Amino acid sequence: MKNNIKNNIRLGVNIDHVATLRNARKENFPSPLNAASLALESGADSITAHLREDRRHINDSDIKEIAYNFPGKLNLEMAATDEMLEIAEKIKPFSCCIVPEKREEITTEGGLDVIGNHNKLKPIIDRLREIGVRTTLFIDPEDINLDVCYDLKIDCAEIHCGTLCRLYEEEDKKDFDIEFNKIKNFSKKLFSNGIEAHAGHGLNYETTKLISSINEIEELNIGFFIIAESIFNGLDKTILTIKESMNIGRSLEE
Ligand code: PXP
């Protein structure tokens, strides 16, 4: 039986790859702002945009346009740099998710080294809190990260579930089960210490269902699969189907 903590689960839609598509032809469409608005109308609880140092997808004018015109919650994904903090101070998003960034990576490959970067993260998180922006750190589900999360007094931790999603593709589900239990236990520890647990990276309909069965996870952030699937089904229907997967997952026995 499930315990009686029956948290709601929210969906954040990452719209970076709408900008990837636009930039591929150096056109001014499709518009990330329009995608964000449609995502909101289709049931997304927030949208995420990652302003990378190299501006490979979302650029500065996208962020401004979204920040000033999007009626929903914007989660600004960013590296822990002074440049990004300055932008966050100007646009005051609903939340900031701090991620590691490497120029040569195709996508965010793993969670932050929160221990090695503690001194860099602290003033940024303190400042974000001061201006009323919710803070999230994107981390791997390793217990060694917990003390720093508590010390930095973050609001939320987003668990990198890319490994889990990769392992789901393997025929033998032994390693998948180990990773799943690791995420489940880690989420419980976050929850019992007052940090909201989120998860993201590599999720599709199936893995969304499975991860939504973890009661303590309160938000999923999904990008690439939603945008890719929209080619065939449309953004609105894809979001509805993802939300169905979340609801089915939530109702599963843990
Ligand atoms: N959450 C974070 C912190 C990310 O960096 C990303 C990838 O940009 C996502 C979620 C979404 O991952 P995906 O595009 O694989 O769904």
Side-chain angles (χ1 to χ4, degrees):
M1 250 324 258
K2 267 181 187 296
N3 57 30
N4 57 7
I5 318 157
K6 190 90 182 177
N7 293 313
N8 287 331
I9 184 159
R10 303 182 304 266
L11 172 65
V13 173
N14 182 314
I15 51 151
D16 293 348
H17 296 301
V18 176
T20 305
L21 186 60
R22 175 197 60 197
N23 297 354
R25 286 288 292 264
K26 299 190 176 21
E27 290 288 356
N28 60 3
F29 66 92
S31 149
L33 172 62
N34 288 350
S37 303
L38 181 55
L40 186 69
E41 283 165 28
S42 310
D45 298 285
S46 58
I47 62 121
T48 294
H50 184 178
L51 185 65
R52 278 186 170 265
E53 183 202 12
D54 63 10
R55 312 299 198 263
R56 68 174 67 159
H57 36 56
I58 294 291
N59 61 35
D60 296 70
S61 59
D62 292 326
I63 280 292
K64 272 194 218 133
E65 199 182 20
I66 294 166
Y68 301 131
N69 298 292
F70 175 62
K73 291 173 180 158
L74 167 65
N75 175 41
L76 173 66
E77 196 179 317
M78 61 178 225
T81 62
D82 291 342
E83 183 202 12
M84 289 300 148
L85 179 61
E86 229 172 86
I87 292 169
E89 284 175 325
K90 277 198 195 112
I91 66 166
K92 291 207 178 70
F94 173 74
S95 56
C96 275
C97 178
I98 302 179
V99 298
E101 227 178 78
K102 283 194 237 132
R103 266 191 179 251
E104 63 277 14
E105 69 190 356
I106 292 175
T107 181
T108 320
E109 285 165 352
L112 278 163
D113 170 8
V114 284
I115 299 169
N117 287 297
H118 175 277
N119 293 346
K120 192 157 98 179
L121 291 167
K122 187 164 174 33
I124 294 179
I125 287 167
D126 286 349
R127 178 66 187 141
L128 289 171
R129 190 183 312 111
E130 212 172 81
I131 61 170
V133 174
R134 264 163 83 83
T135 54
T136 306
L137 292 182
F138 190 42
I139 54 173
D140 293 317
E142 304 292 344
D143 283 355
I144 195 169
N145 290 329
L146 287 169
D147 281 344
V148 179
C149 290
Y150 305 151
D151 179 64
L152 291 172
K153 299 187 178 59
I154 51 173
D155 298 297
C156 323
E158 181 167 328
I159 300 168
H160 191 297
C161 59
T163 304
L164 182 86
C165 295
R166 244 192 355 266
L167 290 171
Y168 182 73
E169 300 305 321
E170 290 183 7
E171 215 169 293
D172 181 352
K173 293 285 185 285
K174 193 166 80 329
D175 290 340
F176 173 87
D177 290 343
I178 293 169
E179 183 70 12
F180 184 83
N181 283 322
K182 201 159 119 183
I183 293 178
K184 187 156 93 175
N185 291 330
F186 193 78
S187 308
K188 286 183 195 298
K189 286 178 193 162
L190 289 171
F191 183 84
S192 58
N193 282 283
I195 297 177
E196 209 177 277
H198 300 174
H201 213 281
L203 290 165
N204 60 20
Y205 292 138
E206 285 310 308
T207 45
T208 290
K209 226 180 268 175
L210 294 169
I211 206 144
S212 300
S213 72
I214 302 174
N215 247 342
E216 288 77 7
I217 294 184
E218 295 183 54
E219 180 175 305
L220 299 182
N221 283 296
I222 311 178
F224 188 76
F225 179 79
I226 288 181
I227 303 304
E229 190 67 7
S230 297
I231 293 170
F232 305 107
N233 290 322
L235 187 57
D236 50 353
K237 281 208 197 95
T238 303
I239 289 174
L240 279 176
T241 313
I242 279 280
K243 291 206 70 149
E244 269 168 32
S245 291
M246 290 164 71
N247 292 335
I248 292 168
R250 220 34 164 192
S251 64
L252 293 174
E253 296 289 323
E254 261 186 50

